[in-house]
Amino acid sequence: MPSSHRERNERPTYRVNNARTMDEITAKISFDKYADMPEFYGSGEAGYRLMMVKQREDFLDLFEGASHVDAVTYAETPELMVRMLTEYDIESLDVLVGNANDYANQVNDVSTARSLVQLRQDDRLTVRLKNRKIVHSKMYRILMPDDTVKLVHGSANLSVNSWEYHTNQISVITTEVGTELDEEFAAFIDEYRERYSSQTLLNGLVEAIEDADSPEERENRIEYWVGSGDLDVSDTAALNQDATEDLKEIADRVTAAVDDPEEADETVAFVDEPEKADRTVVKPDGSGEDDDTDPNETSDADGESDESPDVGLVESDHETALTETLDRPRVRTPEKKIRMGTSKVDRDVADDFSTTLRSRGATVEDHSITAPLSAYNNQVRESTEIPTMSVVPEAEQVIIGDDEDLILVATDPPTPEVLDQCLDTIEAYIETVKNHGYTQTPTAVMAQMYEAFLYGFWAPFANQYAEALSSPSRTLDNVLQHLYIEGNSDAGKDKLTEYILRLVSDNTVISGVDADDVGVDEIRGVREWDTCFPYAIIDAEKSKIEGWSPIRNYWGDWTPTSADQPCLIFTTNDSLPKSEFRNRMKILSMDVSFPSNPEDPGFHAAQDDLAEVLERENPIFSYVARRMLAEQPWTEGNGTVEDVRQIFCDFYEEADREPPEYFPAIEPAEQMYDTGRLKWQRDIQGGRVEFESEPDGMNADFDREDWEVYDYEKRLDKRFMSDKSGTSVYIGAPEEFAEWVDYSVEELLDGPAENGEITDQPVELDETPEEKDSRGFFRRLLDR
């Protein structure tokens, strides 16, 4: 009782009924001080029951048929509130939940949320959330239709745990509504509400729903409030997955134009300016010239509209103009909004995520963040230095975010003319090796450069392969390898990587990420942004790579529900990293150097040649992606980069173009031209290594520095059972090693260089003195 009624001489008088069991005592009670005050009790006394309650259903029977219930209690699930108001015919319920810190997160299905919203809108349900410490009290004021009220207190609450593992005891006082006893009990509950609760469940959602323009929007907002149940991804990843779902929806709405009207799902007219269309149409250059349709007419079905379209399809600035279709179309959506549900994520994460978006025009509510497409695209780019990118197999699209645009794949299959230009441009870039570089193995270098293109065009599909290849018996990190491009500082590897990024991104990404700006947090963080655009780290030192621990198990915790994560590409001047990293990498070597000084002979001519190549339009990735989406080779679960290799073989055939000799058509270039084997062969042939027989093996003694020998040992396959010691390398499988370097064990022990035996020596370039003087040219041109 309130303190004003708690005096020492207050002693309750119990008149106990004859009926008594060990589970319940019933009585009529009155207080000596208020014996003659019926306004306190009602009819001069109140009913009293002291009960032992063992099952929650027995406890809930007290509430059946109530006109209203006020409560302070524990409850872990809002579904019970719906059940009490429906199955137990309670008219209305107002409850303060005293234990849950994240009560809203317990609403994990849309149907429950829909019921809660309706009950809230009907003023039948108010759920108050605690604002500070746990409120341990359990009090229930149950108003009945006959104007009586049950005042309940004790240990019983509405949580499952309270009934599965405990027996509860409660006291039930029955009196009349409006008596002083009732009012004092209600005052207790009001005090809890005022002191320990400052917000109610659903309030923000109800307001948002009231602003919805349609039933569909209402359902959409409920879904975002609910979220996706218990998250099995990080909070940041969950927000980004919500956003990319909206991006994928845009891609799914784009309708392709067809030549035969009978094949179309619907008929629309073309307009000159997409922003004046009522909805999505396609107007390629030159199309419609022989069309009887007035280009300024809109579809009769759509009527007139002065508003900008929700979706408009526009040309890229990098079309080849070799076809009447679009090589790299863009969806322009100036009014499109991206919504991210926040009800399931940590509040601090949501606040941090929304801070920058708010400054770009986003609306932040207690259940979601709604941002313009451009704001979200720019947020991803700013946070990761790569754009949003998603593969949408069901829509046969790959989408890349660029401000208010989404870059798509080609609208039609490639023509032979387009393929010929695309392939010719790639070959022209690669052949700068033989035209301006210096190397003893030009074919091997050019093959490995081509292999880098194949990997770059495969990388965006890695998450599809992860889903197809994932199994308990397979280590994804050994299958979905990172790309590691090694070479001297003047080898052109950085410029090669940047050119690949240009081709994938329609020239919107022109550089990788400086390794000095990358650490463990960046490697981990880039996996949370639900983008599959390759993450290229430029000029990464070996020691840094070995310190980035997430690389070793980058795909280890990937599941089909994970956010999309990008493949990693490294360029480095250093030798190979440790074996635990090498096993996760596709290693390509660019054993070439280019002249880099402007005063070098031929420097400016070479620079002009490269600039001419870079200026050519080359939508090759758009057509590779279109073919990948049509064939979906990842579903076969057999290959990775090999599938893109086959597409290029098909493209050469369709273009009626002979593949160059360096094109790795049959197997990966690093296997066709094993640079480790070439290094060993070169030293064997040059007499810089001698072999001595050892028990169960042989030693290779180098005339090189210790650190140089370390790189030779790392390039040996594990089947050779090698071990380095000083300037020597022990080889435990001599026969296999000898076969690998194209010698016999006897020839190696006899010294092939001394005997004049040179096997498969790499071809030397026929160089002019001018070419010899200009070695290193691309030091500046290609590695800036």
Side-chain angles (χ1 to χ4, degrees):
M1 299 299 297
S3 60
S4 60
H5 301 297
R6 290 195 206 113
E7 297 184 2
R8 284 180 160 293
N9 59 358
E10 293 180 16
R11 305 179 66 85
T13 300
Y14 299 96
R15 288 195 290 276
V16 182
N17 288 353
N18 293 331
R20 174 175 177 176
T21 70
M22 64 178 299
D23 292 339
E24 178 177 321
I25 298 175
T26 61
K28 296 291 185 179
I29 64 170
S30 64
F31 289 81
D32 293 342
K33 184 175 179 180
Y34 304 105
D36 299 322
M37 297 179 64
E39 67 274 12
F40 187 82
Y41 304 104
S43 308
E45 60 185 5
Y48 178 82
R49 297 168 66 190
L50 179 63
M51 303 173 61
M52 182 185 297
V53 188
K54 297 181 179 180
Q55 297 185 23
R56 186 166 64 169
E57 300 305 315
D58 294 336
F59 178 61
L60 292 177
D61 285 342
L62 289 171
F63 299 85
E64 187 168 6
S67 57
H68 178 74
V69 175
D70 293 310
V72 178
T73 189
Y74 279 15
E76 72 263 309
T77 142
E79 286 90 339
L80 179 61
M81 308 300 175
V82 176
R83 185 181 165 205
M84 290 176 68
L85 290 165
T86 53
E87 296 183 16
Y88 288 85
D89 295 326
I90 299 173
E91 185 61 30
S92 61
L93 173 63
D94 188 325
V95 57
L96 191 161
V97 179
N99 62 316
N101 292 318
D102 55 353
Y103 198 64
N105 287 359
Q106 305 304 319
V107 185
N108 51 26
D109 68 86
V110 173
S111 62
T112 298
R114 191 183 297 118
S115 298
L116 290 169
V117 166
Q118 190 62 55
L119 291 168
R120 180 71 180 87
Q121 289 181 316
D122 293 342
D123 293 324
R124 295 187 60 197
L125 176 63
T126 301
V127 179
R128 303 175 189 270
L129 306 177
K130 73 181 185 67
N131 57 10
R132 291 190 292 168
K133 61 183 180 181
I134 289 176
V135 180
H136 197 266
S137 302
K138 290 88 179 177
M139 303 177 65
Y140 309 88
R141 178 173 175 261
I142 307 171
L143 284 70
M144 303 305 292
D146 61 358
D147 291 331
T148 60
V149 59
K150 302 172 187 176
L151 309 177
V152 182
H153 63 93
S155 64
N157 60 53
L158 301 179
S159 68
V160 174
N161 183 68
S162 176
W163 300 98
E164 286 187 349
Y165 306 105
H166 307 287
T167 295
N168 290 280
Q169 181 173 301
I170 59 172
S171 294
V172 183
I173 300 174
T174 304
T175 184
E176 296 175 10
V177 175
T179 61
E180 189 172 351
L181 179 59
D182 173 39
E183 291 176 353
E184 292 290 346
F185 196 92
F188 266 109
I189 293 177
D190 287 339
E191 186 173 353
Y192 278 111
R193 292 171 178 171
E194 292 171 7
R195 296 179 60 182
Y196 299 115
S197 177
S198 57
Q199 59 179 324
T200 58
L201 181 72
L202 304 170
N203 195 49
L205 176 59
V206 170
E207 292 176 1
I209 287 175
E210 290 173 351
D211 294 334
D213 296 328
S214 66
E216 292 76 15
E217 177 67 10
R218 170 191 168 96
E219 286 298 301
N220 183 260
R221 295 196 176 199
I222 291 175
E223 289 176 6
Y224 274 101
W225 188 89
V226 170
S228 57
D230 294 333
L231 298 176
D232 50 9
V233 296
S234 73
D235 292 326
T236 301
L239 291 169
N240 285 297
Q241 284 182 318
D242 267 1
T244 52
E245 283 302 312
D246 282 358
L247 301 183
K248 292 175 181 179
E249 181 184 351
I250 297 172
D252 201 28
R253 293 172 54 196
V254 176
T255 304
V258 295
D259 294 328
D260 185 355
E262 294 183 359
E263 295 179 1
D265 294 321
E266 53 183 326
T267 303
V268 297
F270 288 114
V271 297
D272 290 327
E273 301 178 64
E275 65 272 11
K276 293 183 179 179
D278 290 310
R279 58 189 183 79
T280 306
V281 294
V282 183
K283 178 70 166 68
D285 286 345
S287 66
E289 293 177 358
D290 299 324
D291 195 341
D292 294 331
T293 305
D294 185 345
N296 292 314
E297 290 182 0
T298 57
S299 170
D300 292 337
D302 295 313
E304 299 295 331
S305 175
D306 295 329
E307 297 180 359
S308 296
D310 184 38
V311 178
L313 200 60
V314 298
E315 293 182 348
S316 165
D317 292 334
H318 304 284
E319 293 290 326
T320 62
L322 294 176
T323 70
E324 294 184 353
T325 58
L326 300 182
D327 297 315
R328 204 72 194 269
R330 288 172 171 241
V331 171
R332 183 152 297 162
T333 58
E335 304 301 325
K336 178 61 182 177
K337 303 293 185 183
I338 302 298
R339 183 174 289 114
M340 292 143 278
T342 58
S343 65
K344 296 294 179 183
V345 305
D346 180 80
R347 177 56 58 186
D348 290 338
V349 173
D351 289 344
D352 290 344
F353 198 90
S354 64
T355 298
T356 306
L357 285 174
R358 185 186 282 110
S359 67
R360 291 177 169 141
T363 301
V364 180
E365 300 170 317
D366 68 348
H367 67 291
S368 67
I369 303 169
T370 304
L373 173 64
S374 59
Y376 178 73
N377 282 338
N378 293 331
Q379 172 109 331
V380 175
R381 187 70 175 267
E382 181 181 289
S383 301
T384 64
E385 299 193 58
I386 59 175
T388 58
M389 185 176 194
S390 296
V391 176
V392 194
E394 58 272 20
E396 294 193 1
Q397 282 292 354
V398 174
I399 55 176
I400 299 176
D402 180 37
D403 198 43
E404 66 178 12
D405 290 359
L406 292 179
I407 305 169
L408 307 177
V409 301
T411 57
D412 287 87
T415 63
E417 293 76 16
V418 168
L419 288 179
D420 188 67
Q421 173 169 314
C422 292
L423 297 170
D424 182 72
T425 304
I426 289 180
E427 292 170 15
Y429 185 95
I430 293 173
E431 288 168 13
T432 56
V433 171
K434 68 179 182 181
N435 295 332
H436 302 292
Y438 174 80
T439 177
Q440 291 183 314
T441 55
T443 303
V445 172
M446 291 189 290
Q448 301 216 17
M449 287 181 70
Y450 216 132
E451 189 74 25
F453 281 100
L454 301 182
Y455 180 93
F457 299 153
W458 166 82
F461 299 90
N463 291 274
Q464 279 64 48
Y465 282 87
E467 183 169 3
L469 297 171
S470 180
S471 75
S473 62
R474 180 181 285 118
T475 301
L476 283 179
D477 285 283
N478 290 340
V479 181
L480 307 176
Q481 296 179 315
H482 312 303
L483 179 61
Y484 185 95
I485 307 177
E486 61 164 344
N488 294 327
S489 59
D490 55 6
K493 58 194 179 298
D494 297 346
K495 187 63 69 174
L496 168 65
T497 301
E498 291 165 1
Y499 184 49
I500 293 171
L501 300 180
R502 282 176 178 266
L503 297 182
V504 172
S505 69
D506 193 34
N507 288 280
T508 61
V509 179
I510 61 175
S511 64
V513 183
D514 193 312
D516 289 339
D517 298 328
V518 177
V520 171
D521 289 344
E522 283 71 25
I523 298 292
R524 287 194 178 121
V526 77
R527 295 186 295 179
E528 298 185 332
W529 286 86
D530 206 27
T531 176
C532 59
F533 191 89
Y535 190 69
I537 303 173
I538 303 301
D539 198 17
E541 298 175 2
K542 180 182 69 172
S543 59
K544 284 187 176 180
I545 293 175
E546 292 175 347
W548 293 334
S549 55
I551 294 173
R552 287 180 295 179
N553 296 295
Y554 186 77
W555 295 95
D557 56 357
W558 188 94
T559 69
T561 61
S562 298
D564 281 356
Q565 55 192 51
C567 287
L568 305 181
I569 299 176
F570 305 93
T571 69
T572 181
N573 302 336
D574 289 349
S575 58
L576 301 180
K578 296 177 181 178
S579 59
E580 58 262 37
F581 291 90
R582 296 200 304 272
N583 295 338
R584 266 74 169 153
M585 293 177 174
K586 180 182 183 71
I587 298 173
L588 302 178
S589 298
M590 292 185 61
D591 188 12
V592 61
S593 60
F594 297 93
S596 59
N597 298 315
E599 60 272 17
D600 289 342
F603 175 87
H604 295 289
Q607 197 170 37
D608 291 341
D609 285 351
L610 181 63
E612 189 275 330
V613 173
L614 297 178
E615 288 172 1
R616 296 187 197 177
E617 306 300 355
N618 189 355
I620 183 66
F621 174 74
S622 184
Y623 291 110
V624 170
R626 197 179 197 282
R627 188 67 58 88
M628 287 283 281
L629 291 163
E631 297 179 354
Q632 299 190 10
W634 56 82
T635 59
E636 298 178 7
N638 296 323
T640 51
V641 181
E642 291 79 10
D643 295 326
V644 175
R645 191 185 322 279
Q646 182 58 52
I647 288 175
F648 265 75
C649 291
D650 295 341
F651 281 176
Y652 272 107
E653 183 176 350
E654 293 167 24
D656 195 22
R657 183 181 181 90
E658 186 70 24
E661 62 173 342
Y662 55 80
F663 172 63
I666 306 301
E667 60 181 339
E670 66 271 26
Q671 295 178 17
M672 291 176 59
Y673 302 97
D674 187 331
T675 55
R677 178 172 57 190
L678 294 175
K679 284 172 67 75
W680 275 86
Q681 288 177 332
R682 195 177 301 155
D683 272 25
I684 292 171
Q685 294 154 3
R688 290 184 292 273
V689 60
E690 296 181 352
F691 293 89
E692 296 180 356
S693 180
E694 291 283 341
D696 299 321
M698 64 181 178
N699 267 336
D701 298 316
F702 282 86
D703 183 17
R704 287 187 176 276
E705 297 295 328
D706 180 86
W707 62 270
E708 293 179 293
V709 177
Y710 181 73
D711 185 62
Y712 278 75
E713 192 276 330
K714 286 193 295 186
R715 294 180 186 276
L716 295 179
D717 192 276
K718 62 181 65 177
R719 72 180 187 275
F720 300 146
M721 296 180 286
S722 61
D723 184 39
K724 175 188 171 298
S725 176
T727 58
S728 297
V729 175
Y730 172 78
I731 299 170
E735 296 288 345
E736 289 83 353
F737 171 81
E739 181 180 359
W740 180 64
V741 293
D742 292 325
Y743 290 94
S744 68
V745 173
E746 290 74 19
E747 288 172 334
L748 293 176
L749 294 174
D750 288 343
E754 296 179 4
N755 298 329
E757 299 175 6
I758 298 179
T759 306
D760 290 341
Q761 183 177 5
V763 178
E764 296 282 351
L765 288 178
D766 294 327
E767 298 179 297
T768 65
E770 177 179 282
E771 288 172 326
K772 288 181 179 291
D773 290 338
S774 59
R775 55 193 295 187
F777 151 63
F778 274 5
R779 183 189 304 274
R780 294 182 183 175
L781 182 60
L782 291 183
D783 269 319
R784 288 179 180 174

